[in-house]
Amino acid sequence: MVAYANVSFDDHLIGYVGEPNGRGTFTIVWSCLAVLLLNTWTVLHLNIPHPKWRSWRIYMHKAKWAFVALLIPEGIMTVAFNQRRNAKSSIKYMKKYAPQWTLMHGFYSEMGGFKVRDESTETLYTFRAVQLHWLAENGIIGIPPISKKEIHDRSKASRVAKALACLQSAWFLLSSLARVVQHLPLTTFEVATIPFIGITWVTYYLWWDKPVDMETFTTIHLPSLPTEDLCRMAQDTCFSKASGSWYRPALKETSTRGWDFYWFEKSMDFRHLSIVRSNHLLPQELREMVKHSYAEARVCSWFLPAINEFQAAEWNNINDITLVLAGWFFNGLHLVAWHNVFPTEVESLLWKISVCLMLGYIALSGPCAMLLYWLPEGSFMKDLPIWCITVCYAVTRFYLIVEVFIGLRAVPPAVYRSVDWSQYIPNID
């Protein structure tokens, strides 16, 4: 339970310690939870929600993603990386039609900030930067001259909250470093919090220019947007990647046995335990053109009232590499607790096995995919290993989360010794 190599399982361990003048059990738990909760809540820069959602629904949506960020922070970081990459690339091709276009405009468009309304059918389309560029290039729309200041004013970004979260995290890292320097033990809860801070700081950087908690959007009015134009736009902007990566299971849109990694992005029919598809929203001609392709998943998003946080059909090798590296960093730092003292030897062994398994799942995903490459797309044997890896990864991650709490029932007394900060204050005679 504690990073303290000089303590063995046979040495005296103690349980709950009240709040004296120094460290107590509550101090340890609260310091870790405060870092996790505050960073998780302030790091989230979610897309513009459904226009008909009430405040409580928006709050619950953010709470859901905060829970996901606590469980899979490397996944949230990869989402932020993908959104920043898309927003940055939009600057190159949008400057011609919108000279005021900046990285913030790119984020604004990627989060559903621009909607096109077809007045003839009263349809409201949610287009992103690539589609907006196509419409502008073909002379169908003009990009509204919205300024960076206008977007920033609509955002509810709290720089004070972000600064407080970063300062709190910096103090936590400084205190942990001081304990290591003074040979004082760290609990596994503290060890597990350190990689979370690293991932969160990278996510802060990636989302720094993205508006926060924005609920309004800019509407571009059109007399008519014929289905023919939608088909041409789909052909030009959505078929650059007609199929998914060969090593990744197919989406529901492309295979009868496919599945969507990000099932929590879509509505669920809990009675039949299935994802509710949205292809029925497409006009018949457009639906026939994109059916059974990854383009269908992209085109369906045009007809939804809000942009999904994850764009599963658009992920490529760069996103996968980012996710692997982030996973190695986050899970690898848990190896710092390899020589920790746990309440029992069984818990110590389970911790080591869990960390190694999580790293192993990530390392073996590529070779496993290569072996499965020759199996037909959508076959049961091709999907089964991915399902097994996903379930096992979730189970091992869940164990580590549980262990950081239950392990506090028996720790070495030195855990509750405070750092002697006087060592770092110069003496002036």
Side-chain angles (χ1 to χ4, degrees):
M1 162 60 205
V2 180
Y4 196 55
N6 296 326
V7 181
S8 67
F9 292 104
D10 297 324
D11 290 324
H12 177 61
L13 300 177
I14 60 176
Y16 177 82
V17 171
E19 296 304 304
N21 295 327
R23 268 164 63 102
T25 304
F26 179 80
T27 301
I28 295 172
V29 173
W30 175 247
S31 64
C32 294
L33 285 180
V35 169
L36 295 175
L37 296 177
L38 184 58
N39 278 269
T40 297
W41 194 259
T42 57
V43 78
L44 291 176
H45 292 54
L46 301 181
N47 294 338
I48 296 175
H50 193 300
K52 294 184 179 180
W53 280 3
R54 296 183 178 181
S55 298
W56 69 268
R57 183 73 180 273
I58 296 174
Y59 181 87
M60 292 302 297
H61 177 70
K62 187 170 183 177
K64 178 192 75 173
W65 278 101
F67 179 72
V68 173
L70 280 172
L71 294 180
I72 323 171
E74 66 272 32
I76 298 298
M77 193 209 81
T78 308
V79 171
F81 170 80
N82 186 57
Q83 292 180 0
R84 184 182 180 88
R85 189 160 59 95
N86 290 341
K88 191 172 183 179
S89 64
S90 72
I91 299 176
K92 300 177 183 178
Y93 55 78
M94 289 298 290
K95 278 289 188 181
K96 180 179 178 180
Y97 305 100
Q100 78 281 3
W101 199 270
T102 63
L103 183 60
M104 182 174 288
H105 287 83
F107 272 120
Y108 183 61
S109 65
E110 289 298 308
M111 66 190 294
F114 292 100
K115 294 183 184 289
V116 175
R117 179 181 173 84
D118 183 346
E119 297 295 347
S120 64
T121 61
E122 297 185 350
T123 303
L124 193 64
Y125 299 100
T126 307
F127 293 138
R128 292 157 62 201
V130 174
Q131 285 74 45
L132 292 173
H133 172 258
W134 188 93
L135 291 169
E137 188 177 42
N138 286 271
I140 299 175
I141 66 169
I143 305 299
I146 181 173
S147 68
K148 183 177 179 180
K149 184 178 184 303
E150 288 180 81
I151 298 175
H152 187 272
D153 290 343
R154 295 187 197 177
S155 174
K156 299 177 183 178
S158 175
R159 297 190 182 275
V160 175
K162 288 184 179 180
L164 178 61
C166 290
L167 287 174
Q168 184 186 43
S169 298
W171 173 251
F172 184 91
L173 292 176
L174 181 63
S175 301
S176 299
L177 178 61
R179 294 190 68 82
V180 172
V181 170
Q182 296 185 18
H183 304 288
L184 297 175
L186 287 170
T187 66
T188 48
F189 202 169
E190 292 167 307
V191 170
T193 303
I194 292 173
F196 184 91
I197 293 175
I199 291 290
T200 301
W201 281 3
V202 174
T203 308
Y204 270 128
Y205 165 75
L206 295 172
W207 265 338
W208 190 260
D209 292 283
K210 184 179 180 181
V212 184
D213 295 337
M214 183 174 285
E215 300 177 19
T216 60
F217 51 83
T218 303
T219 303
I220 304 173
H221 296 272
L222 274 181
S224 176
L225 186 57
T227 302
E228 293 77 12
D229 287 340
L230 292 174
C231 290
R232 288 196 300 124
M233 183 166 62
Q235 184 67 48
D236 293 343
T237 66
C238 296
F239 277 92
S240 58
K241 183 181 177 183
S243 61
S245 300
W246 54 265
Y247 52 84
R248 187 185 293 143
L251 297 180
K252 279 289 185 184
E253 286 86 353
T254 64
S255 171
T256 56
R257 192 176 280 123
W259 64 295
D260 197 332
F261 307 95
Y262 316 118
W263 54 267
F264 41 80
E265 273 295 317
K266 298 184 178 181
S267 300
M268 286 286 294
D269 179 1
F270 290 99
R271 183 176 301 177
H272 300 94
L273 293 178
S274 62
I275 295 172
V276 178
R277 296 176 62 179
S278 53
N279 59 348
H280 65 280
L281 299 173
L282 277 60
Q284 182 65 30
E285 183 181 349
L286 182 59
R287 188 189 315 166
E288 288 297 321
M289 188 184 79
V290 301
K291 69 178 181 180
H292 304 316
S293 72
Y294 268 61
E296 180 180 343
R298 300 183 184 187
V299 173
C300 283
S301 68
W302 301 352
F303 295 81
L304 299 178
I307 296 289
N308 291 338
E309 309 297 336
F310 281 172
Q311 299 295 331
E314 297 181 7
W315 275 36
N316 56 25
N317 295 339
I318 297 177
N319 299 100
D320 295 320
I321 292 172
T322 302
L323 183 61
V324 167
L325 294 177
W328 275 343
F329 170 80
F330 181 79
N331 295 302
L333 281 183
H334 286 72
L335 292 173
V336 173
W338 189 268
H339 296 293
N340 281 18
V341 174
F342 291 78
T344 65
E345 293 191 39
V346 172
E347 290 174 65
S348 175
L349 181 62
L350 287 175
W351 178 277
K352 295 174 183 177
I353 292 175
S354 297
V355 175
C356 289
L357 282 177
M358 287 195 296
L359 293 173
Y361 298 147
I362 299 172
L364 293 176
S365 58
C368 178
M370 293 177 67
L371 294 174
L372 299 172
Y373 171 62
W374 304 105
L375 295 177
E377 186 67 42
S379 68
F380 176 74
M381 290 306 299
K382 186 167 186 174
D383 291 350
L384 181 61
I386 305 297
W387 274 105
C388 292
I389 288 176
T390 302
V391 172
C392 292
Y393 189 88
V395 171
T396 50
R397 175 64 65 84
F398 179 74
Y399 169 73
L400 295 182
I401 294 174
V402 172
E403 177 58 38
V404 299
F405 287 98
I406 66 174
L408 289 171
R409 72 185 188 278
V411 298
V415 162
Y416 297 108
R417 286 178 54 191
S418 299
V419 172
D420 182 8
W421 293 106
S422 63
Q423 295 184 19
Y424 307 106
I425 301 176
N427 293 322
I428 302 177
D429 296 329

